[in-house]
Amino acid sequence: MCGKFYREIFIKAKKGIDKKLSEINNPADVRNYLENALRDKILEDEENIRQGFNAVKCTNCGVCCRLAVSEFGPNELLRRAGAGDKTAKSFLEVFELYENNMLPKELEDYLPVKPAKGAWFYHCKKVENRNGKYFCPIYDKRPAVCRNFPDTPLENLPKSCAYNIWKDNNEVKALFIRALNDIRKFYLETILNGK
């Protein structure tokens, strides 16, 4: 989604929070709203999105195994993993860079959007092809990075992915949740802590 659209969502979320805060006179109640009530609402909305995720059945097309796109190259991922970034560590355990960072031609049609300049293309080290069909030989024991994909409707999904309907139905909601959470954290840090 474009930045302008997110700004519109962010402004709408901020207006809602500001309206609620203007109705609260006691600083303790403001803190309680931000720390508890708003957090609980965000968690509830995230759970609703997760329930929709659980209703989707993966078609096992294998494109996500062969088409992992990252803004980070292998050296940056190694640096991040070394600094304790669990996502980078898990990603590197599963995926490796395509030779010369060249995406195979047969996968280009699966890209949801043209990748940004500087994108890095990876594929699963274990995915196998038998008679033109791709499958995971460790599917029942696959790592969390695979089991949880996509972990948000904000992921760039291959065009053929069964989760695109879920993404389309929840992308705006996920952006709104992100905005609420960012605003909530900012208010807790700046307004309530006097920063």
Side-chain angles (χ1 to χ4, degrees):
M1 293 239 162
C2 72
K4 181 180 178 186
F5 185 68
Y6 178 69
R7 280 191 298 277
E8 292 170 8
I9 290 172
F10 187 90
I11 290 167
K12 182 178 178 183
K14 185 177 182 313
K15 284 181 181 178
I17 291 173
D18 289 347
K19 182 178 186 293
K20 180 68 176 173
L21 292 177
S22 72
E23 297 168 357
I24 304 172
N25 296 323
N26 181 338
D29 291 339
V30 168
R31 180 180 293 276
N32 184 51
Y33 170 72
L34 292 171
E35 288 182 341
N36 300 306
L38 183 55
R39 180 205 61 216
D40 291 349
K41 172 69 172 131
I42 290 168
L43 292 173
E44 179 184 329
D45 291 346
E46 287 175 340
E47 181 57 30
N48 288 336
I49 289 174
R50 268 192 290 284
Q51 287 177 4
F53 173 88
N54 293 333
V56 178
K57 299 296 179 214
C58 175
T59 60
N60 299 316
C61 69
V63 175
C64 61
C65 304
R66 299 178 295 133
L67 182 59
V69 183
S70 176
E71 64 185 298
F72 303 118
N75 291 338
E76 177 62 15
L77 287 170
L78 281 169
R79 186 194 69 72
R80 288 171 175 261
D85 184 329
K86 291 179 182 176
T87 302
K89 183 178 185 292
S90 181
F91 186 88
L92 287 171
E93 289 171 356
V94 175
F95 295 99
E96 64 187 358
L97 188 67
Y98 275 106
E99 188 175 336
N100 298 320
N101 195 33
M102 296 296 295
L103 183 67
K105 291 281 186 212
E106 75 266 10
L107 291 175
E108 289 177 0
D109 289 339
Y110 290 102
L111 289 167
V113 293
K114 185 177 179 183
K117 186 175 180 174
W120 296 85
F121 301 106
Y122 297 85
H123 63 93
C124 175
K125 299 172 188 179
K126 296 196 181 289
V127 69
E128 295 180 7
N129 180 342
R130 289 196 186 150
N131 302 321
K133 300 262 184 191
Y134 290 88
F135 74 97
C136 176
I138 59 165
Y139 186 81
D140 292 334
K141 296 179 182 178
R142 67 198 183 281
V145 71
C146 301
R147 223 178 12 260
N148 298 333
F149 179 84
D151 63 353
T152 170
L154 304 179
E155 292 271 2
N156 282 322
L157 302 179
K159 290 178 184 176
S160 62
C161 185
Y163 287 94
N164 274 309
I165 293 171
W166 170 76
K167 174 188 174 83
D168 292 345
N169 290 338
N170 292 287
E171 190 170 19
V172 172
K173 293 175 197 170
L175 286 169
F176 194 78
I177 289 169
R178 176 184 282 176
L180 287 174
N181 208 30
D182 287 346
I183 295 163
R184 176 184 163 273
K185 287 177 182 177
F186 174 79
Y187 280 175
L188 282 169
E189 291 173 7
T190 27
I191 294 175
L192 296 178
N193 295 326
K195 289 184 180 178

